[in-house]
Amino acid sequence: MIKVYQIALTDAEIDAINRGEETEKSKAYFGRSFDSTFKAENFQYYTHVATVDTNDMEKAFEYMNLWNSDKVTKMVRAVSSMSVGDILEYNGERFRCASFGFTKI
């Protein structure tokens, strides 16, 4: 089983961003880009959003992007497809979804 963590923004946080307001959480959200380095202090903004029934991170990526409901258990109502910056936890170790593959953090 692989746990998937994402930064989820509330409607109020999205409205604040649209007004040009910036918070540490919004900086963490937008700092998940392809070429950025993961900052450990930003993990506080991540939420366990799904558990994927596989031990293969590539399969977890596939299942969360094809929404294989037999393999993905949503832990919260709003879950997005897996993308760069999402965190996967497997056997107590954490990995960041990168532009190609996964990097251990």
Side-chain angles (χ1 to χ4, degrees):
M1 299 295 266
I2 294 176
K3 292 181 180 179
V4 180
Y5 297 84
Q6 297 176 339
I7 297 177
L9 298 174
T10 65
D11 290 341
E13 289 168 328
I14 292 168
D15 290 343
I17 290 167
N18 289 333
R19 288 190 304 271
E21 298 172 20
E22 188 174 65
T23 65
E24 292 303 313
K25 185 176 180 180
S26 66
K27 285 188 225 177
Y29 181 83
F30 289 112
R32 302 169 306 135
S33 69
F34 293 99
D35 57 355
S36 67
T37 301
F38 178 75
K39 296 177 184 165
E41 64 269 18
N42 288 342
F43 190 71
Q44 66 183 312
Y45 303 116
Y46 283 77
T47 301
H48 177 203
V49 297
T51 300
V52 186
D53 186 13
T54 183
N55 295 328
D56 181 321
M57 287 184 277
E58 296 290 342
K59 283 291 184 187
F61 183 88
E62 177 185 330
Y63 296 152
M64 284 201 59
N65 283 282
L66 296 177
W67 288 110
N68 184 328
S69 61
D70 293 339
K71 299 289 184 180
V72 178
T73 302
K74 294 180 181 181
M75 309 307 286
V76 297
R77 191 173 60 118
V79 179
S80 61
S81 298
M82 188 184 298
S83 62
V84 170
D86 289 352
I87 305 295
L88 285 72
E89 184 177 313
Y90 175 65
N91 280 346
E93 296 184 307
R94 292 187 178 141
F95 301 83
R96 180 177 178 263
C97 183
S99 57
F100 182 78
F102 302 88
T103 54
K104 187 174 178 181
I105 55 172

